Amino acid sequence: MEKQKNTIGRRKEAVARVYLSKGTGTILVNDKDYKTYFALIYLQNQVEAPLKTIDALDKFDVKVNAQGGGIKGQAEAVKLGIARALCEVNPEFRPALKAAGLLKRDPRSVERKKPGKAKARRSFQFSKR
C-alpha cells in the first residue's frame, strides 16, 4: 500500500475523517497527539482498539480530523473510522475486527424533543388542583 486510505467514522453528532498510511504508529487527532486530545485513558483505549485487535499499533500512521459532538462521541467515531480504513488496507483484517464489534456503527443518538413535553419523554409537573 503506497497511498493513504481515507474513511469516515460517525457517532452521535461526531464525524471523524481518518487518513491511514504505512508508518511508525503516530496517531494525530486535529494535529495533536491523541493522548493529548483524548485525556481520559478509556478514550485512548477506544482509539487504539482496532489497531490492537490486529497487532498493528506501530505499523500505521493515522491522521484524523474530528468535529462535532462531544469528546466521547469523537473517540468512538475515530475508532470506527480506523477499523474501516484497516479493512480497506487488507480485507483479511475484517473477520478479527468484526468479531471485536469494531465495524458496527452505533445508531444511538439523541431523541428529538416532542411538543407538549419538557424534553423527549419528560412531562411537565402534573398538578391535580
Side-chain angles (χ1 to χ4, degrees), residues 4-63:
Q4 64 182 13
K5 296 287 183 187
N6 306 356
T7 54
I8 200 158
R10 292 191 180 89
R11 170 76 168 95
K12 293 186 171 183
E13 290 292 303
V15 179
R17 286 183 191 80
V18 176
Y19 305 96
L20 188 92
S21 55
K22 282 252 193 286
T24 55
T26 50
I27 303 176
L28 293 175
V29 181
N30 294 351
D31 297 321
K32 291 183 190 153
D33 183 58
Y34 78 107
K35 291 192 171 173
T36 313
Y37 193 83
F38 299 117
L40 300 167
I41 303 293
Y42 84 98
L43 294 179
Q44 295 171 15
N45 292 340
Q46 291 273 325
V47 172
E48 294 167 353
L51 294 165
K52 277 184 180 165
T53 305
I54 59 157
D55 297 321
L57 209 51
D58 54 355
K59 293 186 178 80
F60 296 101
D61 284 344
V62 183
K63 188 172 179 298

Side-chain angles (χ1 to χ4, degrees), residues 1 4-8 18-21 60 62 78-91 93 97 103:
M1 180 187 87
Q4 64 182 13
K5 296 287 183 187
N6 306 356
T7 54
I8 200 158
V18 176
Y19 305 96
L20 188 92
S21 55
F60 296 101
V62 183
V78 171
K79 176 176 76 170
L80 177 62
I82 293 174
R84 284 178 171 174
L86 289 169
C87 279
E88 279 188 25
V89 170
N90 186 350
F93 294 152
L97 292 168
L103 294 174

